[in-house]
Amino acid sequence: GENVEQHPSTLSVQEGDSAVIKCTYSDSASNYFPWYKQELGKRPQLIIDIRSNVGEKKDQRIAVTLNKTAKHFSLHITETQPEDSAVYFCAASTSSASKIIFGSGTRLSIRP
Amino acid sequence: NAGVTQTPKFQVLKTGQSMTLQCAQDMNHEYMSWYRQDPGMGLRLIHYSVGAGITDQGEVPNGYNVSRSTTEDFPLRLLSAAPSQTSVYFCASSLQGMNSGNTIYFGEGSWLTVV
């Protein structure tokens, strides 16, 4: 069935370094891949998304890359800051009905 | 424009009790859905609706009912609460399909504990 796998589950990086979170998806018909950031006790909020006709998208310190052949997509955060500490979720659209499937999340911690 | 409003924010239930989580949006969104979030398992889809009068099951529908009598409201009913339903519940809405590239707006979440 439809599945999104996300790695790693936890990630700790030094402030100023880069962080990379990777996801794979199973549905070859997936064409929309959003990323959400969830701070402790808060709702998930969209930080960046990419559609299948684009290989890379960047927004300031955040970038997402997509490899449709390999069914991989990744989130890259450069020059990490303390406020980047949160749980990040990847997601992929599905061919069946109008829904998206979420990965299991990555808890990112930024060390001062 | 309040966005997506969920109530209650916190609730404790006894096993076997029933309750309804309310969700309302004022953005005239056609698409609404309910997710549950458990540690290490991300957000799992319970039920969703593509418009008033239309609902469908997601990944984990057992033990829950929904209805969509109006565009604005999408309540989630727990029929007979079980400890396994202890979770954080998020309602979400989108102008068009969840896979259409429209931003998905989440409510603030409802923390439910079943004892």
Side-chain angles (χ1 to χ4, degrees):
Chain A
E2 301 145 344
N3 187 42
V4 175
E5 293 192 1
Q6 183 171 348
H7 300 281
S9 57
T10 60
L11 179 60
S12 178
V13 301
Q14 193 77 33
E15 183 178 350
D17 287 350
S18 296
V20 180
I21 302 170
K22 299 181 179 182
C23 290
T24 60
Y25 60 97
S26 61
D27 190 342
S28 56
S30 296
N31 62 2
Y32 174 62
F33 307 91
W35 285 88
Y36 288 83
K37 176 183 180 182
Q38 186 180 31
E39 297 176 348
L40 188 63
K42 304 283 186 167
R43 73 188 88 187
Q45 293 197 312
L46 180 72
I47 55 171
I48 195 168
D49 56 14
I50 191 168
R51 297 192 71 79
S52 59
N53 57 350
V54 175
E56 183 174 0
K57 184 176 178 180
K58 191 172 182 179
D59 182 4
Q60 299 182 1
R61 297 186 296 109
I62 295 173
V64 58
T65 59
L66 172 64
N67 182 331
K68 282 218 72 178
T69 303
K71 297 183 189 173
H72 290 170
F73 58 114
S74 300
L75 178 71
H76 305 252
I77 306 174
T78 59
E79 301 172 15
T80 53
Q81 300 170 5
E83 54 264 36
D84 294 329
S85 293
V87 178
Y88 291 80
F89 292 98
C90 64
S93 64
T94 67
S95 57
S96 56
S98 296
K99 58 183 180 180
I100 61 173
I101 301 296
F102 286 84
S104 55
T106 296
R107 182 173 300 278
L108 175 62
S109 300
I110 307 301
R111 303 191 303 271
Chain B
N1 189 328
V4 181
T5 304
Q6 276 182 247
T7 57
K9 193 168 179 68
F10 300 98
Q11 182 73 49
V12 178
L13 283 179
K14 293 183 179 179
T15 298
Q17 285 185 317
S18 62
M19 77 158 297
T20 299
L21 298 177
Q22 302 291 344
C23 177
Q25 51 88 13
D26 60 359
M27 298 174 283
N28 203 31
H29 285 176
E30 289 293 327
Y31 292 80
M32 297 185 73
S33 55
W34 277 100
Y35 292 87
R36 61 176 289 173
Q37 183 175 28
D38 302 294
M41 301 189 74
L43 292 153
R44 292 184 293 169
L45 183 64
I46 304 172
H47 285 286
Y48 66 100
S49 169
V50 300
I54 306 169
T55 63
D56 207 345
Q57 296 182 348
E59 304 168 74
V60 289
N62 292 341
Y64 307 95
N65 273 356
V66 292
S67 60
R68 186 91 182 272
S69 56
T70 66
T71 299
E72 294 77 22
D73 300 299
F74 191 46
L76 178 72
R77 297 184 188 85
L78 280 70
L79 308 172
S80 177
S84 60
Q85 293 179 303
T86 293
S87 188
V88 182
Y89 292 84
F90 286 98
C91 179
S93 75
S94 172
L95 182 60
Q96 295 177 357
M98 296 291 180
N99 61 351
S100 66
N102 292 134
T103 300
I104 298 170
Y105 294 86
F106 285 90
E108 291 187 316
S110 296
W111 274 254
L112 177 66
T113 301
V114 183
V115 297

